[in-house]
Amino acid sequence: MRKIKIDKSNHLRAILTDTLPYEIPFFFTNEPLFSAASNHQLSQGLPTFVKAMLWQSKPTKPFEYKIQKGGGNHRRISLPHPAAQLKFSELYRDFDSFIENVCARSNYSLRCPTRVGSHFFQKQYAADQPNGDNVDQDPASFSSQRQWASSYFYYKRYSHIYKFFSSDEFIRLEQKYSLMLKLDIARCFESIYTHSITWAIRGKDFGKDHKEAFFFESEFDSMMQSSNWGETNGILIGPEVSRIFAEAIMQSIDVRVQRQLDPISDRVAVRRYVDDFFVFGTSRDDLAFVKSVIEDVASQYNLHLNEKKTDTVTRPFTSNLAVARQRVARTLRNALRTAREGLLSEVHSAGFSRGVADHTIAEIRMIAREGNVDYAVLASPALAIIARGLLQIRRRVGDQVSAGTSVTLERVYLASLRISTFLFLMDIRSATTHKLAKIFLECSLLNEMLGKERVAFEGAVLDTVRLALDQARLQGIKGPEIINILVAADAVCEVSKGVTDDFLRSAFGVEGRWRQQTPRMNYFELISTLYFARKKQTFREAREAVCATIEERVLLRGSKLKFYTEETLLFFDFISCPYIKESKRAIFFEKVAKLHGSSATTATHLQQFLRVSSSVFFVAWSGHGHFQAMLERRELQPAYDT
């Protein structure tokens, strides 16, 4: 793991770290926009109508889509307009110190920004690169990640809630208190009233008396509204900038709650992670009082507790879920350690064979039954262990591959794929898709290291994809979760057909002619089809149908195109797509330009098209050849204060 410095002075890196949701396709990227903005290409040399798309302050409609969340439920995620993202980066530039201050007031918060990050930790796949200065450089600028981390600010104290539950702090709280009350703010982000950030920081009277004044809260309020189609009720769900907005409000709630709890401060302790409160005490009366205080203060900001999630637990605070996860982790680590040791011994055993895989799956099923927990809550940490275990095996074995090792190692990664498939099908979400993609990559690298034919490996990958598509269809999953499993399979399948037309039909629910189905497809689905189709003849019908739909949808917006995130992204990605004839893209560009009042000549429009299409786009079109680099971007550690 390497510590790498980043450019603190470039506020634009916020569009790489804080303005996009995590749940996006692997190939979606803001890096070209970041590069163009950093080099002043967005303000110089672009036609007026393109500048208007990227630099505007009027309300824009975000691109909304659904993702799978735990328990078979869905959550609506918002991807803000590029113009809104650029405005957020300016807010960070002007008020980063103020953000640090307003998020440093609470003693309860377990996760909050403390100061602008100056470095990040690069791990895992970065160490595999043979030349750190000249690897994986494609039009999407994968090499630019040296300049940015996975968050704009340093954060304290815990990046994920599970780290708190496994911390020394939590153990000390358990030793001191016999009861823990869990509280959750119901639909927190959907319920936040944007004006309440001013109430939270300066008071409601100030907010009402200074509606036209320019200050941090008013600017943040205005930008959150503008990025969400002018809505004051609810904020975007997904981007980190929304969490910071919510944190500023929640910290004010914390401060007021702590003030009212001062008389019993020696009998209770309160911690909060985003919108979840954890109250520790020894008396149920005390816990009830704390709950009433939190409920009352939160209601003054139009926020309310979710009674269905309110729960009081007694010591020990370890749940059946935590115990089950520990047992599954131990089972997998033992199996992987046995496989690793067997590979390095002089006598190679059957190792991690299919029989061992089936036994391991049976163990996981038994653990879930005994703990009365769903497989779904075990899948994500289990897949992470398998991915790390395969990485360790690959690095340990290295060049020490003999004939015996080769046979055993192939069994290891095929058996690992079998276990991973079982786990993934129980919990198809963005987080588990990312982990399965890492497992695909590790197995591919092991296969390459062995010099093996890829038929067996790729067959196992495609079997996993087929099963995942069937399961996704049953659960109504069509978002980034399923797109990314196709991206991973497309990248590692070199000799087989990989992603086929049938796979895409299954993923996006296309029956019959593509042209009849594409009008209901969203941005991610349309662009994914172009990404997988490339110039392959077998995708000709799909490619032509998608192109026709994109052209219709963009042209229908006319001069109001700039207000709609989905069609704006479609415009930029269509004209930059290398799998569509350049002449077709140039003609389309000219049509859009004329709709915006341009009277330039065709020759001028062609020059503008070439300039815009090479500088502003949101898809790493050659990502299938740079899959390791795409995963490396997801592997960047958040910039923590260490």
Side-chain angles (χ1 to χ4, degrees):
M1 190 180 294
R2 294 185 296 158
K3 182 176 178 179
I4 298 177
K5 290 185 177 181
I6 51 182
D7 183 4
K8 291 176 62 175
S9 64
N10 191 347
H11 66 282
L12 289 165
R13 62 189 176 88
I15 69 172
L16 298 174
T17 62
D18 285 34
T19 61
L20 293 179
Y22 171 79
E23 300 88 352
I24 54 177
F26 288 142
F27 56 69
F28 186 89
T29 175
N30 263 352
E31 292 174 51
L33 180 67
F34 167 78
S35 178
S38 297
N39 296 325
H40 308 292
Q41 292 175 290
L42 301 185
S43 56
Q44 301 172 7
L46 294 183
T48 302
F49 81 95
V50 173
K51 289 181 184 177
M53 287 186 193
L54 300 173
W55 297 109
Q56 60 168 315
S57 56
K58 292 186 178 181
T60 53
K61 184 177 182 180
F63 167 48
E64 295 184 338
Y65 56 99
K66 291 181 179 179
I67 63 162
Q68 187 79 353
K69 57 182 289 190
N73 299 314
H74 293 83
R75 170 177 292 155
R76 186 169 295 278
I77 296 293
S78 296
L79 196 164
H81 194 286
Q85 296 182 54
L86 290 168
K87 292 295 289 184
F88 279 130
S89 74
E90 293 178 348
L91 180 86
Y92 278 28
R93 176 197 63 197
D94 297 337
F95 295 106
D96 54 7
S97 296
F98 201 92
I99 291 173
E100 295 166 13
N101 290 331
V102 298
C103 292
R105 297 169 294 147
S106 169
N107 293 320
Y108 295 167
S109 182
L110 295 173
R111 181 187 185 276
C112 57
T114 57
R115 58 188 175 88
V116 176
S118 61
H119 67 269
F120 68 93
F121 293 100
Q122 190 175 31
K123 64 171 185 176
Q124 195 153 320
Y125 299 118
D128 295 332
Q129 306 290 8
N131 184 337
D133 294 324
N134 296 288
V135 293
D136 290 325
Q137 295 186 36
D138 78 343
S141 305
F142 286 112
S143 60
S144 71
Q145 59 198 17
R146 290 182 169 278
Q147 305 169 31
W148 52 279
S150 59
S151 58
Y152 188 91
F153 294 96
Y154 284 115
Y155 280 77
K156 68 169 191 179
R157 300 142 65 190
Y158 305 99
S159 59
H160 298 87
I161 189 60
Y162 76 84
K163 293 186 177 181
F164 168 60
F165 291 136
S166 60
S167 68
D168 290 340
E169 178 182 5
F170 187 77
I171 292 173
R172 288 193 297 270
L173 288 167
E174 186 178 38
Q175 291 170 339
K176 185 175 181 179
Y177 302 102
S178 58
L179 298 171
M180 178 175 69
L181 172 65
K182 299 178 183 179
L183 302 171
D184 172 77
I185 299 293
R187 298 174 59 84
C188 180
F189 284 28
E190 297 98 315
S191 302
I192 287 178
Y193 183 51
T194 62
H195 295 333
S196 64
I197 191 170
T198 303
W199 309 347
I201 297 173
R202 298 182 189 262
K204 187 173 290 190
D205 291 340
F206 181 92
K208 292 181 179 294
D209 294 340
H210 298 81
K211 290 182 179 180
E212 306 301 323
F214 176 86
F215 47 94
F216 165 73
E217 302 91 304
S218 67
E219 282 300 289
F220 211 169
D221 176 4
S222 175
M223 288 186 189
M224 292 304 290
Q225 289 181 51
S226 182
S227 67
N228 198 24
W229 210 217
E231 289 288 338
T232 56
N233 290 312
I235 61 176
L236 300 176
I237 299 176
E240 178 63 26
V241 65
S242 294
R243 294 187 185 92
I244 291 177
F245 189 91
E247 180 65 22
I249 295 171
M250 295 303 296
Q251 291 232 349
S252 293
I253 293 175
D254 291 348
V255 170
R256 294 185 62 182
V257 168
Q258 184 175 2
R259 191 179 301 130
Q260 293 188 43
L261 295 183
D262 186 62
I264 62 168
S265 60
D266 59 333
R267 303 201 304 267
V268 297
V270 181
R271 300 291 185 271
R272 177 184 55 77
Y273 184 85
V274 189
D275 57 356
D276 293 317
F277 285 90
F278 304 94
V279 184
F280 301 85
T282 56
S283 162
R284 290 184 181 272
D285 289 341
D286 284 344
L287 297 187
F289 176 69
V290 174
K291 178 189 175 185
S292 67
V293 171
I294 292 175
E295 197 167 28
D296 176 63
V297 174
S299 68
Q300 296 173 37
Y301 297 91
N302 296 331
L303 300 175
H304 306 279
L305 296 181
N306 184 347
E307 292 296 338
K308 291 182 180 179
K309 291 188 177 181
T310 298
D311 187 30
T312 302
V313 296
T314 58
R315 204 165 45 194
F317 299 150
T318 300
S319 63
N320 287 347
L321 170 58
V323 172
R325 282 179 170 173
Q326 289 177 358
R327 291 181 62 190
V328 169
R330 187 162 52 247
T331 298
L332 290 171
R333 289 193 181 106
N334 288 340
L336 288 162
R337 183 169 56 251
T338 299
R340 188 168 62 247
E341 291 171 352
L343 288 166
L344 297 174
S345 67
E346 294 183 3
V347 180
H348 301 289
S349 63
F352 208 41
S353 64
R354 175 166 177 162
V356 175
D358 289 343
H359 176 73
T360 303
I361 291 172
E363 283 283 319
I364 294 172
R365 295 176 65 193
M366 183 179 68
I367 291 169
R369 169 60 66 187
E370 292 177 351
N372 193 29
V373 298
D374 195 304
Y375 293 131
V377 296
L378 303 175
S380 186
L383 289 169
I385 290 169
I386 295 172
R388 285 195 297 269
L390 290 172
L391 172 67
Q392 291 169 356
I393 287 173
R394 178 167 60 86
R395 289 181 173 171
R396 288 281 185 90
V397 174
D399 299 327
Q400 307 172 44
V401 179
S402 63
T405 304
S406 178
V407 173
T408 306
L409 191 52
E410 185 176 29
R411 289 174 179 164
V412 167
Y413 67 70
L414 290 177
S416 297
L417 275 175
R418 186 172 177 82
I419 299 170
S420 301
T421 299
F422 167 78
L423 291 165
F424 179 67
L425 295 179
M426 300 300 168
D427 185 26
I428 301 177
R429 293 182 295 117
S430 289
T432 53
T433 301
H434 178 209
K435 293 175 176 67
L436 185 62
K438 290 194 287 183
I439 291 169
F440 280 1
L441 176 60
E442 284 301 331
C443 291
S444 178
L445 294 173
L446 284 168
N447 185 281
E448 183 179 316
M449 187 174 72
L450 296 176
K452 287 276 188 181
E453 292 185 3
R454 300 183 67 84
V455 176
F457 161 64
E458 294 186 11
V461 167
L462 295 177
D463 284 345
T464 299
V465 172
R466 291 187 189 94
L467 292 170
L469 290 173
D470 289 343
Q471 188 70 17
R473 187 167 57 252
L474 290 173
Q475 298 181 29
I477 304 172
K478 296 192 298 181
E481 307 94 331
I482 212 66
I483 291 172
N484 281 340
I485 201 65
L486 293 176
V487 172
D490 182 60
V492 301
C493 290
E494 300 174 0
V495 298
S496 59
K497 291 183 179 179
V499 175
T500 64
D501 183 81
D502 286 342
F503 276 1
L504 288 188
R505 286 177 176 274
S506 179
F508 303 142
V510 175
E511 298 178 0
R513 305 292 296 178
W514 272 93
R515 191 66 181 93
Q516 295 174 333
Q517 304 294 323
T518 51
R520 63 167 178 75
M521 292 169 65
N522 69 22
Y523 165 68
F524 283 154
E525 294 166 349
L526 292 168
I527 292 302
S528 294
T529 303
L530 292 178
Y531 178 87
F532 294 120
R534 295 197 273 280
K535 294 184 178 181
K536 299 175 185 177
Q537 186 63 25
T538 53
F539 286 96
R540 180 178 178 180
E541 181 195 343
R543 186 168 50 248
E544 290 179 351
V546 165
C547 287
T549 295
I550 292 175
E551 289 187 85
E552 288 176 359
R553 195 174 293 180
V554 172
L555 294 174
L556 186 63
R557 291 299 183 191
S559 60
K560 295 183 179 180
L561 171 63
K562 65 181 181 180
F563 301 124
Y564 297 88
T565 301
E566 187 168 13
E567 284 75 19
T568 295
L569 296 175
L570 286 171
F571 166 74
F572 284 115
D573 289 336
F574 182 92
I575 65 171
S576 69
C577 180
Y579 312 131
I580 304 172
K581 288 183 179 180
E582 186 176 276
S583 58
K584 182 180 181 69
R585 292 183 280 136
I587 291 171
F588 172 68
F589 179 90
E590 184 169 42
K591 288 180 180 178
V592 175
K594 288 182 176 179
L595 283 174
H596 286 80
S598 174
S599 58
T601 64
T602 296
T604 299
H605 284 146
L606 178 59
Q607 291 178 345
Q608 293 175 345
F609 155 72
L610 293 173
R611 188 179 303 116
V612 175
S613 63
S614 63
S615 57
V616 183
F617 52 96
F618 301 89
V619 175
W621 291 110
S622 61
H624 55 278
H626 301 272
F627 184 54
Q628 188 166 335
M630 284 200 290
L631 284 185
E632 183 183 336
R633 292 188 303 188
R634 296 292 183 98
E635 284 302 294
L636 292 176
Q637 291 274 47
Y640 288 101
D641 209 357
T642 56

